[in-house]
Amino acid sequence: MSDATDPWLIVGLGNPGPEYAANRHNVGFMVADLLAERIGGKFKRAPKAQAQVLEGRIGPPGPLSRRVVVAKPMSYMNLSGGPVTALRDFYKVPLDHVVAVHDELDIDYGSLRLKLGGGDNGHNGLKSMTKSMGPDYHRIRFGIGRPPGRMQVADFVLKDFSSTERKELGFLVDRAADSVECLLAEGLERAQSAYNS
């Protein structure tokens, strides 16, 4: 079982490359970027893993401060498990200290749901992570809603947020980053009651 001194691995899920940067599927990267900004560092190439990482601390100074590695896998989404497992091994992170931040189709746009473990709900990034390490890691599910009309799911998630959605996106990404900090400092139950919507 993990203890308070163990590091946390916060994984923003997305696809690398500028053409994907503003896609719905890349909201995990957006949250990771904001956490990096808050920590006050820059991403660098990970040792021994196909990922960008930033090491630092999250939370107020003192007993609630947590050692973290914020990561963006640089494989494509459906291969995220390899880099995440390599990072876990390198930084010696217990599975229940891994947090995946990802887009979620079955939740309304902008709603958040935090949970520990569970299925992948058809999400290829989670599917790959679960195959590599098992399901018992934390998830921060960022709602993007379902595709309109007959649009295919793959087309929808690889499109940029709409102009209407973008008006709120900054605030929502900020809230998701807050939920990561709350989870680390105060635990899952407190974070769920504060942020699940």
Side-chain angles (χ1 to χ4, degrees), residues 88-110:
R88 243 195 91 202
D89 292 346
F90 182 80
Y91 290 105
K92 299 179 173 47
V93 179
L95 186 54
D96 67 348
H97 274 211
V98 175
V99 182
V101 185
H102 64 92
D103 58 307
E104 177 63 64
L105 286 159
D106 287 335
I107 302 174
D108 290 340
Y109 174 64

Side-chain angles (χ1 to χ4, degrees), residues 24 109 160-170 172:
R24 292 183 175 94
Y109 174 64
D160 291 358
F161 285 100
S162 71
S163 54
T164 312
E165 288 169 334
R166 282 199 299 273
K167 289 189 178 105
E168 281 187 288
L169 186 59
L172 297 169

Side-chain angles (χ1 to χ4, degrees), residues 9-181:
L9 176 59
I10 314 300
V11 182
L13 290 178
N15 285 308
E19 68 273 34
Y20 298 107
N23 288 181
R24 292 183 175 94
H25 222 16
N26 270 43
V27 75
F29 274 17
M30 296 172 197
V31 175
D33 287 338
L34 180 57
L35 287 168
E37 211 175 284
R38 289 181 181 185
I39 291 167
K42 288 210 179 331
F43 282 100
K44 61 184 195 312
R45 266 182 82 94
K48 303 192 187 324
Q50 193 184 355
Q52 290 187 346
V53 292
L54 166 74
E55 297 174 59
R57 297 193 85 83
I58 280 182
L64 291 182
S65 172
R66 300 286 180 255
R67 197 154 64 90
V68 297
V69 179
V70 180
K72 298 192 294 187
M74 290 288 115
S75 60
Y76 285 96
M77 179 72 88
N78 58 344
L79 301 172
S80 301
V84 176
T85 303
L87 291 170
R88 243 195 91 202
D89 292 346
F90 182 80
Y91 290 105
K92 299 179 173 47
V93 179
L95 186 54
D96 67 348
H97 274 211
V98 175
V99 182
V101 185
H102 64 92
D103 58 307
E104 177 63 64
L105 286 159
D106 287 335
I107 302 174
D108 290 340
Y109 174 64
S111 292
L112 290 177
R113 295 265 204 313
L114 285 75
K115 68 175 194 169
L116 175 63
D120 57 55
N121 210 13
H123 192 288
N124 288 331
L126 297 182
K127 199 175 286 182
S128 178
M129 283 179 62
T130 297
K131 190 175 171 197
S132 288
M133 9 181 246
D136 298 326
Y137 52 91
H138 287 88
R139 297 101 191 277
I140 293 182
R141 304 156 73 203
F142 186 111
I144 60 169
R146 300 291 308 179
R150 296 181 176 199
M151 187 188 286
Q152 294 296 311
V153 164
D155 296 335
F156 180 68
V157 299
L158 294 175
K159 277 203 171 9
D160 291 358
F161 285 100
S162 71
S163 54
T164 312
E165 288 169 334
R166 282 199 299 273
K167 289 189 178 105
E168 281 187 288
L169 186 59
F171 165 76
L172 297 169
V173 166
D174 199 58
R175 192 165 177 271
D178 290 348
S179 78
V180 172
E181 296 191 4

